[in-house]
Amino acid sequence: MKILCGVKRVEDPDQKIKVNPDGSWIALDGINYKPNPYDEIAVEEALRLKEAHGSGEVVVVSIGGEESVTEMRHAMAMGADRGILVKVSERVDSDAAARLLAKVVEREKPDLVILGRQAVDSDQGQTGQLLAEYLGWGQATFAAKFESLESEEEKAKKPGLQVQDGKVRVIREIDGGLEVLDVELPAVVTTELRLNHPRYASLPGIMKAKKKPVEELTPADLGVDVTPKVKIRKLSSPPERKAGIKVPDVATLVEKLRNEAKVI
Amino acid sequence: MSNVLLVAEHLNQSLKKSSLHALEAARQIASRSGGKVFGLVVGKGVGEVANELARHGVEVLVADDARVEHPLAEAWSKVVEKAAKEVSATYVVAASGSQSKDVLPRVAARLGAGMASDVIGFGGEGAEITFKRPMWAGSVIAEVEITTPVKVLTVRPTDFSAAQPGEAGQVRSLELPDLGTIRTHFVEFRQVKSERPPLTEARIVVSGGRGTRGDFSPVEALADQLGAAVGATRAAVDAGWVPNDLQVGQTGKTVAPDLYIALGISGAIQHVAGMKGSKVIVAINKDPDAPIFQIADYGLVGDLFQVVPELQKALTGK
Ligand SMILES: Cc1cc2nc3c(=O)[nH]c(=O)nc-3n(C[C@H](O)[C@H](O)[C@H](O)COP(=O)(O)OP(=O)(O)OC[C@H]3O[C@@H](n4cnc5c(N)ncnc54)[C@H](O)[C@@H]3O)c2cc1C
Ligand SMILES: Nc1ncnc2c1ncn2[C@@H]1O[C@H](COP(=O)(O)O)[C@@H](O)[C@H]1O
């Protein structure tokens, strides 16, 4: 079973992101980077499927600058077999990412593509669906599982996706509950937070990852025009919510809610 | 002339309220671009949904067919594409629920359109519309331009008011296009049933976090006393304490109630992204330095297991 995962380099979601004074981009001073959290979940799931099936290959793809190799090395330290860097000089939008990935998929012919439900920088949440459409494949977005992340199944590192008889069974977190779909392979799946807890990279894993191959491609190699369909004109900070007051006790709180805020 | 196609999210028997907020966004676009708004309802046995939408002053296309009973993106995207072409839509708009997030990117690919997700407002001049949308979990608002002739959007319901009923529009049926081979098969839907009001529609929301240590009874008791919906943080959902459907935040629901009560919630940016539009925020947390206090209108430092019962008592004694 061959699985391809997207790994995007993004700003660490645990730090505060601020806009540059001129609104051209975010302030990059002192910013740390990480693999997109949903992509780590994708890689973890791919590794579990490979382990459960006893064989296979997990290939990670990143579209970005040379520095994106760091995030791919992280995925390879977790256990992914090799990387493909599609080298771009400027950020690409989700549509261009999907068209580049489609070309990589045509070359690599994986059985399954697992992407994140969204990249936590642009928060668009489109690439997997676009990719599935460009490939003419079925899709299942927001993959999760019935069991919680504290369950025995999760502790046993069981995959949430079930691959059988040329199909992948996916439990999806959607509005109002959980939906189960069977998608014929090859297919595109995107991950939700509750699909798994990604493993940590072990020291031997990190050492091994340094020797794993990373192929470099360009949009020109793939014949893809990456001119964005969605252009960012400017960035601004959202209106700040002012801190209110601390109340000393419940009686004051109720009094304020009744007479000042008038919400109860 | 730039027509707008509104793709309705619905529950088979009734329109989702979020669709009326998306309709308001569609109207704002149409009034600037000089076009007309059309509605599209897809599903099986959805005639009443179509009528309900039409009562809000739009002409509605309805694709009512067993083959599109379940919202499979592969199939629905073809139906939306056909409807968009039939009404010469320049804009395809839907509320940013899980269904539209799943389907609309495929529609965009089929129409060669650029797409903006989770739009919260518009910029630009006249018919030159730009789209405002959050990035980095709402730490940043981007103003984006879509350069393609056709443009696809999901819009965040909490940032637009609900469209009011108007002179009823026509309802006509849309014949399904050739759906081709569909490689996705519906197996089952496990619905989360709740007696409480829906999270995204409630006037009051009481949410619990890791501070509950898995005991949501104070959250639920307070919610029930106030007729409120129950919400939660990712931490609480991940632990399996409450269903995923209750998560508020960047990748959960966006809520904007009159009153949001956060119990044992630290106030991480990803959570705040989903509730900072609330009119009044109350935070009860035992850590005086918890970031939630920086955005709360009324903060109370204390143990929720002591404070909530006291609060319940104080609320009874009018
Ligand atoms: C990609 C990504 C997406 C995410 N999406 C979301 C999302 O959509 N929604 C979301 O909520 N989070 C999301 N998160 C997680 C988010 O970053 C935080 O980890 C999460 O919101 C923390 O939940 P919490 O406040 O319940 O827990 P904690 O941060 O652990 O806070 C618990 C709080 O409870 C207080 N407390 C403890 N005991 C008591 C007591 N007895 N009485 C009163 N107070 C008490 C503590 O002082 C503390 O402040 C996301 C994270 C990532 C990386
Ligand atoms: N530049 C990129 N490099 C690698 N994967 C990407 C890139 N952009 C998007 N993806 C994949 O697509 C998912 C959704 O991204 P988006 O649609 O941009 O929110 C991400 O979680 C990744 O798996």
Side-chain angles (χ1 to χ4, degrees):
Chain A
M1 164 137 218
K2 181 168 172 179
I3 306 172
L4 195 133
C5 298
V7 174
K8 187 179 188 185
R9 176 181 168 91
V10 298
E11 291 73 23
D12 184 338
D14 285 338
Q15 55 199 341
K16 191 146 176 57
I17 301 293
K18 288 207 179 96
V19 179
N20 258 347
D22 66 0
S24 58
W25 199 243
I26 55 167
L28 296 174
D29 273 359
I31 291 285
N32 297 314
Y33 293 84
K34 278 195 59 170
N36 182 40
Y38 294 97
D39 296 350
E40 281 188 85
I41 297 172
V43 171
E44 174 66 31
E45 195 63 22
L47 294 171
R48 288 187 191 184
L49 283 171
K50 177 181 161 180
E51 285 152 12
H53 288 253
S55 69
E57 190 185 21
V58 176
V59 182
V60 290
V61 186
S62 194
I63 302 159
E66 190 69 48
E67 51 303 339
S68 300
V69 172
T70 314
E71 281 63 43
M72 284 200 289
R73 292 272 175 226
H74 174 89
M76 288 186 272
M78 287 169 70
D81 297 290
R82 60 186 170 92
I84 298 172
L85 172 69
V86 181
K87 210 167 158 182
V88 291
S89 49
E90 285 186 31
R91 295 169 59 90
V92 300
D93 66 6
S94 300
D95 187 76
R99 283 178 295 115
L100 290 167
L101 288 170
K103 291 294 174 190
V104 174
V105 166
E106 281 168 18
R107 289 180 160 215
E108 293 287 334
K109 301 193 171 40
D111 303 292
L112 183 64
V113 176
I114 313 182
L115 303 183
R117 63 163 278 169
Q118 74 194 61
V120 298
D121 50 0
S122 59
D123 282 334
Q124 282 274 52
Q126 302 170 1
T127 307
Q129 301 88 310
L130 290 166
L131 174 63
E133 182 60 43
Y134 288 133
L135 294 168
W137 291 7
Q139 77 183 40
T141 49
F142 318 135
K145 55 183 170 207
F146 291 130
E147 303 84 18
S148 85
L149 290 178
E150 310 286 315
S151 65
E152 291 307 313
E153 284 82 357
E154 175 57 26
K155 286 189 186 110
K157 303 220 167 285
K158 283 229 242 164
L161 304 179
Q162 294 162 48
V163 176
Q164 220 175 17
D165 307 325
K167 284 184 302 225
V168 58
R169 174 158 292 192
V170 186
I171 295 151
R172 306 179 57 225
E173 271 192 16
I174 60 170
D175 294 344
L178 294 167
E179 182 188 62
V180 184
L181 293 182
D182 277 344
V183 193
E184 294 168 27
L185 296 178
V188 176
V189 171
T190 75
T191 59
E192 186 46 87
L193 292 167
R194 278 157 297 268
L195 183 57
N196 61 48
H197 271 311
R199 68 194 64 186
Y200 294 107
S202 67
L203 199 56
I206 293 168
M207 299 311 289
K208 264 201 226 158
K210 290 186 178 155
K211 298 201 190 72
K212 290 182 179 172
V214 173
E215 182 187 0
E216 276 195 23
L217 294 170
T218 64
D221 294 335
L222 297 167
V224 174
D225 175 5
V226 294
T227 312
K229 290 181 178 170
V230 180
K231 275 194 193 147
I232 297 176
R233 280 212 183 154
K234 77 171 203 266
L235 303 181
S236 60
S237 304
E240 288 274 323
R241 235 196 127 96
K242 286 195 308 273
I245 54 164
K246 285 219 177 91
V247 293
D249 51 40
V250 165
T252 318
L253 177 61
V254 172
E255 191 275 319
K256 294 278 184 199
L257 290 178
R258 280 204 179 122
N259 305 321
E260 197 174 82
K262 299 191 165 58
V263 283
I264 53 168
Chain B
M1 194 179 72
S2 294
N3 289 338
V4 184
L5 179 70
L6 171 84
V7 185
E9 288 208 336
H10 59 81
L11 306 158
N12 292 321
Q13 265 66 336
S14 60
L15 197 62
K16 273 200 187 172
K17 229 180 140 209
S18 58
S19 294
L20 293 177
H21 295 260
L23 174 57
E24 172 58 26
R27 282 212 174 123
Q28 288 182 18
I29 295 172
S31 75
R32 283 180 57 175
S33 68
K36 193 176 153 189
V37 179
F38 293 85
L40 172 67
V41 176
V42 187
K44 183 181 154 230
V46 289
E48 199 31 58
V49 178
N51 292 337
E52 192 182 342
L53 183 56
R55 281 197 292 275
H56 289 81
V58 268
E59 185 174 329
V60 177
L61 277 65
V62 52
D64 196 335
D65 194 299
R67 287 172 293 166
V68 286
E69 175 175 8
H70 302 294
L72 302 174
E74 239 186 309
W76 277 41
S77 55
K78 293 176 183 162
V79 182
V80 179
E81 177 198 14
K82 183 178 181 200
K85 288 186 172 155
E86 205 156 302
V87 303
S88 309
T90 301
Y91 295 89
V92 177
V93 179
S96 56
S98 60
Q99 184 177 304
S100 303
K101 285 180 177 170
D102 187 49
V103 175
L104 260 58
R106 286 191 86 124
V107 174
R110 296 188 73 82
L111 294 170
M115 173 168 172
S117 303
D118 267 321
V119 169
I120 59 172
F122 305 116
E125 304 259 318
E128 295 294 312
I129 305 174
T130 59
F131 308 95
K132 296 187 180 163
R133 54 176 305 274
M135 290 174 68
W136 288 281
S139 303
V140 173
I141 305 300
E143 186 173 338
V144 306
E145 174 192 344
I146 303 179
T147 60
T148 49
V150 178
K151 304 162 212 304
V152 175
L153 325 170
T154 56
V155 300
R156 200 177 255 194
T158 47
D159 288 272
F160 297 91
S161 56
Q164 295 303 311
E167 192 186 325
Q170 238 186 14
V171 176
R172 59 188 167 97
S173 63
L174 176 79
E175 219 174 288
L176 289 192
D178 177 9
L179 296 176
T181 328
I182 300 298
R183 300 159 205 77
T184 323
H185 310 279
F186 175 83
V187 180
E188 64 167 311
F189 179 50
R190 295 196 186 176
Q191 196 180 350
V192 182
K193 295 224 170 67
S194 171
E195 301 298 312
R196 300 194 180 90
L199 188 49
T200 48
E201 293 171 18
R203 200 183 69 79
I204 302 178
V205 173
V206 183
S207 281
R210 206 192 312 264
T212 61
R213 293 194 306 268
D215 179 2
F216 254 63
S217 57
V219 180
E220 288 168 352
L222 182 59
D224 291 342
Q225 186 169 354
L226 293 167
V230 168
T233 63
R234 172 192 174 178
V237 180
D238 278 6
W241 300 338
V242 290
N244 60 277
D245 198 43
L246 300 188
Q247 180 174 310
V248 172
Q250 181 189 19
T251 50
K253 304 274 188 308
T254 303
V255 300
D258 288 348
L259 174 61
Y260 189 93
I261 304 180
L263 302 173
I265 292 176
S266 63
I269 174 89
Q270 293 88 357
H271 183 76
V272 170
M275 47 68 89
K276 68 179 169 191
S278 306
K279 208 145 95 192
V280 175
I281 297 174
V282 169
I284 296 169
N285 192 305
K286 67 179 183 190
D287 173 8
D289 298 320
I292 189 84
F293 289 126
Q294 290 163 22
I295 59 147
D297 300 283
Y298 304 108
L300 180 53
V301 178
D303 184 331
L304 74 93
F305 291 99
Q306 276 167 19
V307 174
V308 173
E310 271 183 53
L311 182 55
Q312 284 194 269
K313 223 191 250 160
L315 288 169
T316 331
K318 265 234 168 188

